[in-house]
Amino acid sequence: MAALSIGSASTFGRTGARGISSISRWRPRNSCIRCVWDPEGLFGSKQPQTGHLARIEFKRRLEKDAEAREAFENHVREEQERRRILRQSRELPETPAEMIEYFLDTEAQELEFEIARLRPRLNQEFFSHLQIELGQLKFAVSRTEAMEDRLAELETMQKVLLEGTEAHDKMQVDLIKVKESLTKILTSKDVKATLLEMVERNELNRSLLALLDENIANAHKTGQKRAAGFMEKVRVAVLSPIRPSDDERIFSGGVGLIGEVAKTQKSAIQSTNREMWRRVVSLYPLLSLSNSSVLHQMQAKGGIASKGKTAFITFVLGGPGSGKGTQCAKIVETFGFTHLSAGDILRREISSNSENGAMILDMIKEGKVVPSEVTVKLIQKEIESIDNYKFLIDGFPRSEENRIAFERNIGMEPNIVLFFDCPEDEMVKRVLSRNEGRVDDNVDTIKKRLNVFAALNLPVIKHYTETGKVHKINAVGSADEIFEQIRPIFTELMVK
Ligand SMILES: Nc1ncnc2c1ncn2[C@@H]1O[C@H](COP(=O)(O)OP(=O)(O)OP(=O)(O)O)[C@@H](O)[C@H]1O
Ligand SMILES: Nc1ccn([C@H]2C[C@H](O)[C@@H](COP(=O)(O)O)O2)c(=O)n1
């Protein structure tokens, strides 16, 4: 976490123990809103208090003096550990009254963390409660010294928490934007063109760079050299359009950020980036799947059968005509997945005059489910022949038998399942007007397919719902509207 700087009251002089609880220890001080990069806020009093030159000298000394450096690093580690234990040991408050006491007992450098942790409870009910207590203290007929102290403490706390929650909320907005921007760049088929568009829209900034840097560092740490190399190239391309003046503006709060709150955001954004980074790293396999020719070889950790890769599999389910194929095309275009339609694979098998062709045709005409061993084999062959790791498997599994055969033979479960929920009359209407010459797009077969869907496919959807994998999509509306329900699912997955 970055050192907290919340408005003019953001940095508090703590001369004694801790917390807001003693106002004499916690009076706001104007002097030290810090600009030095101190992501964990751990330099504390060991950092030079004044002057740019002093800070440079401090840095130089650190670089030269290995011993001092080690001691410093130990100090940082100890401080990190101390804070970790402290955070774990604190019992979280429930009521507004408990919240007040909790924050009064919070160390200054922990405020940012605690505000984030307790943000949902820093709500109107809490602030009203605080306001009432403040009112009682202010308008008391006579005030004791203890009451004066309490009043001063609570006024300070109110200001800190109001500004802190505001900064936190703005930070969340920034976080989402930066996550989206980086996802867009790393999943883009034409990185250069994407960057140019983003320059036009002023979307390249320091926060994005910081997030990228953290990904690069992690790729190095985990020995993913190609990924690191790719992202380093992206970094150079990102960096060049960020002119120093942009940097300055961003960091001095000149762009859309005002005064001290902007400084708050600066530190807040830096710390957010660290959190974002962790989320990106956890989904790194998915990110790295884009631009597959460059990146796919990094995924050498096992996974799908014979190729020893880790795949990201999405099953796409829904009744006949619910729009699975239509949406898959959009997902492919936007997120670079490979679309495998089980129905198309089976139809190709019929056209290729294979030994199973006639049997498959009969089954399809009757709206029945082709035996799993046939379908799974065909899907497996497709997966293994394709140089991508992100698959949309559409119209599969159609039955529990399909599902179990896939899991057994391929040795994987889907990462997520999309379920297109569509009323029957809408599905019938769509199928009957599809006009693609399919042997099963007629009134008789559609009835059978709907029955088979209810009897065999719904239990599969139920199974994946119970395992928390299903994203239910309302399949009524225009194709574009429906895709807007899907977009955030994959965007979120890319940068998690
Ligand atoms: N949101 C929509 N609104 C209206 N029509 C749609 C919509 N989405 C798709 N369609 C149309 O409905 C028909 C069926 O769509 P699509 O082929 O995508 O469904 P599907 O779920 O893949 O069907 P199946 O399982 O039978 O292959 C197509 O003609 C398609 O153009
Ligand atoms: N897993 C599957 C998928 C499809 N089929 C057969 C039966 C379906 O009615 C037909 C058309 O599929 P769609 O294009 O609607 O997905 O293909 C199957 O037997 N098993």
Side-chain angles (χ1 to χ4, degrees):
M1 281 269 153
L4 183 76
S5 323
I6 300 175
S8 57
S10 63
T11 316
F12 295 83
R14 285 178 58 242
T15 53
R18 64 188 47 171
I20 305 177
S21 56
S22 166
I23 191 64
S24 59
R25 291 178 245 141
W26 259 86
R27 280 192 201 287
R29 223 170 44 184
N30 295 329
S31 59
C32 58
I33 290 171
R34 304 233 170 91
C35 294
V36 174
W37 171 232
D38 178 9
E40 296 294 330
L42 299 174
F43 288 77
S45 60
K46 289 188 183 261
Q47 198 178 29
Q49 295 298 307
T50 55
H52 185 60
L53 285 177
R55 283 195 297 271
I56 290 175
E57 177 54 27
F58 176 71
K59 265 189 172 174
R60 231 178 249 148
R61 240 186 25 234
L62 273 187
E63 277 160 15
K64 280 186 191 158
D65 189 338
E67 225 173 82
R69 192 185 194 119
E70 204 186 317
F72 175 75
E73 283 168 0
N74 283 341
H75 165 72
V76 170
R77 268 194 296 275
E78 280 164 23
E79 179 60 9
Q80 278 172 332
E81 184 57 10
R82 185 187 72 78
R83 287 217 209 162
R84 194 185 60 75
I85 294 167
L86 171 74
R87 287 171 184 181
Q88 274 181 359
S89 68
R90 298 195 78 187
E91 194 176 325
L92 297 183
E94 295 288 339
T95 64
E98 285 170 10
M99 291 272 287
I100 290 176
E101 300 315 315
Y102 186 89
F103 275 104
L104 287 174
D105 286 336
T106 296
E107 291 181 24
Q109 68 265 37
E110 285 294 284
L111 276 171
E112 187 178 359
F113 172 83
E114 294 295 356
I115 286 171
R117 167 151 85 166
L118 290 164
R119 178 65 187 94
R121 284 176 221 175
L122 287 165
N123 51 20
Q124 191 154 9
E125 187 197 354
F126 167 76
F127 284 109
S128 304
H129 182 96
L130 182 56
Q131 191 59 43
I132 290 169
E133 188 176 343
L134 275 167
Q136 286 165 349
L137 286 166
K138 269 185 204 160
F139 299 110
V141 182
S142 63
R143 277 201 297 259
T144 62
E145 205 180 317
M147 286 164 81
E148 292 284 355
D149 279 354
R150 176 88 176 166
L151 177 59
E153 284 170 17
L154 294 190
E155 278 180 332
T156 305
M157 189 171 75
Q158 185 186 41
K159 192 167 164 47
V160 168
L161 295 182
L162 281 171
E163 293 185 2
T165 48
E166 189 189 347
H168 172 84
D169 294 349
K170 285 193 178 141
M171 194 172 82
Q172 293 307 309
V173 173
D174 183 83
L175 165 74
I176 291 164
K177 280 194 201 139
V178 174
K179 275 164 57 178
E180 282 176 0
S181 298
L182 187 58
T183 302
K184 203 154 125 192
I185 295 170
L186 292 181
T187 57
S188 162
K189 284 192 182 129
D190 185 346
V191 173
K192 233 186 210 166
T194 306
L195 287 174
L196 282 175
E197 276 169 29
M198 292 174 74
V199 169
E200 300 262 298
R201 288 199 296 269
N202 247 333
E203 286 174 3
L204 297 186
N205 56 35
R206 273 283 169 169
S207 304
L208 192 139
L209 256 189
L211 183 56
L212 188 53
D213 280 346
E214 303 242 28
N215 274 279
I216 292 171
N218 187 57
H220 280 302
K221 214 159 76 188
T222 53
Q224 301 186 76
K225 285 190 185 143
R226 278 169 189 269
F230 171 70
M231 287 190 288
E232 270 159 6
K233 279 186 198 151
V234 171
R235 188 186 193 283
V236 171
V238 169
L239 195 54
S240 55
I242 302 179
R243 301 184 307 278
S245 56
D246 291 335
D247 252 21
E248 276 312 304
R249 288 200 337 264
I250 289 161
F251 277 89
S252 62
V255 182
L257 308 173
I258 305 162
E260 298 302 328
V261 173
K263 287 176 190 157
T264 302
Q265 282 188 313
K266 177 195 157 192
S267 73
I269 286 167
Q270 285 168 342
S271 80
T272 305
N273 285 341
R274 300 181 70 79
E275 286 151 24
M276 281 190 290
W277 145 239
R278 280 173 209 129
R279 264 176 264 163
V280 170
V281 167
S282 69
L283 255 287
Y284 195 77
L286 184 53
L287 272 182
S288 64
L289 300 181
S290 58
N291 300 287
S292 62
S293 59
V294 186
L295 296 176
H296 80 265
Q297 289 161 40
M298 304 177 302
Q299 298 299 313
K301 290 191 191 137
I304 276 210
S306 60
K307 291 188 95 177
K309 312 172 202 168
T310 302
F312 187 94
I313 290 182
T314 301
F315 283 161
V316 183
L317 300 179
S322 58
K324 302 182 293 294
T326 305
Q327 295 301 327
C328 281
K330 288 175 174 289
I331 299 168
V332 166
E333 199 184 315
T334 313
F335 295 103
F337 277 70
T338 290
H339 175 205
L340 300 178
S341 154
D344 285 350
I345 291 172
L346 291 169
R347 281 185 283 274
R348 277 207 299 276
E349 196 62 6
I350 299 172
S351 315
S352 71
N353 291 323
S354 80
E355 54 172 342
N356 288 321
M359 179 271 291
I360 297 171
L361 179 61
D362 283 346
M363 303 292 280
I364 287 183
K365 273 187 190 158
E366 286 305 309
K368 291 184 180 159
V369 177
V370 173
S372 300
E373 56 175 273
V374 175
T375 316
V376 169
K377 229 181 244 163
L378 291 171
I379 291 175
Q380 180 164 12
K381 215 162 91 187
E382 292 280 329
I383 290 175
E384 290 177 359
S385 69
I386 287 161
D387 188 18
N388 192 357
Y389 291 73
K390 293 183 282 187
F391 294 99
L392 295 171
I393 305 188
D394 162 12
F396 184 95
R398 271 302 217 273
S399 61
E400 280 289 272
E401 196 214 353
N402 264 188
R403 176 179 75 73
I404 290 160
F406 182 91
E407 289 172 8
R408 193 182 306 128
N409 290 309
I410 313 259
M412 281 195 81
E413 287 194 31
N415 297 73
I416 60 168
V417 176
L418 298 183
F419 164 46
F420 289 86
D421 187 24
C422 193
E424 282 199 359
D425 54 350
E426 178 68 18
M427 293 196 270
V428 172
K429 198 170 83 191
R430 288 183 193 174
V431 166
L432 293 182
S433 52
R434 178 153 44 188
N435 210 13
E436 285 176 3
R438 280 176 53 166
V439 292
D440 53 349
D441 278 355
N442 56 69
V443 180
D444 278 353
T445 315
I446 181 83
K447 272 188 202 152
K448 292 176 185 162
R449 288 160 71 195
L450 285 170
N451 287 339
V452 167
F453 172 71
L456 301 183
N457 210 178
L458 285 181
V460 177
I461 293 161
K462 184 167 174 276
H463 167 84
Y464 287 128
T465 303
E466 283 162 5
T467 55
K469 295 195 170 171
V470 169
H471 294 263
K472 188 166 162 182
I473 309 293
N474 174 7
V476 181
S478 74
D480 284 345
E481 281 165 358
I482 293 163
F483 185 63
E484 288 315 313
Q485 295 173 60
I486 297 169
R487 187 196 297 279
I489 297 170
F490 287 100
T491 305
E492 177 68 18
L493 280 168
M494 296 287 186
V495 183
K496 200 171 185 181

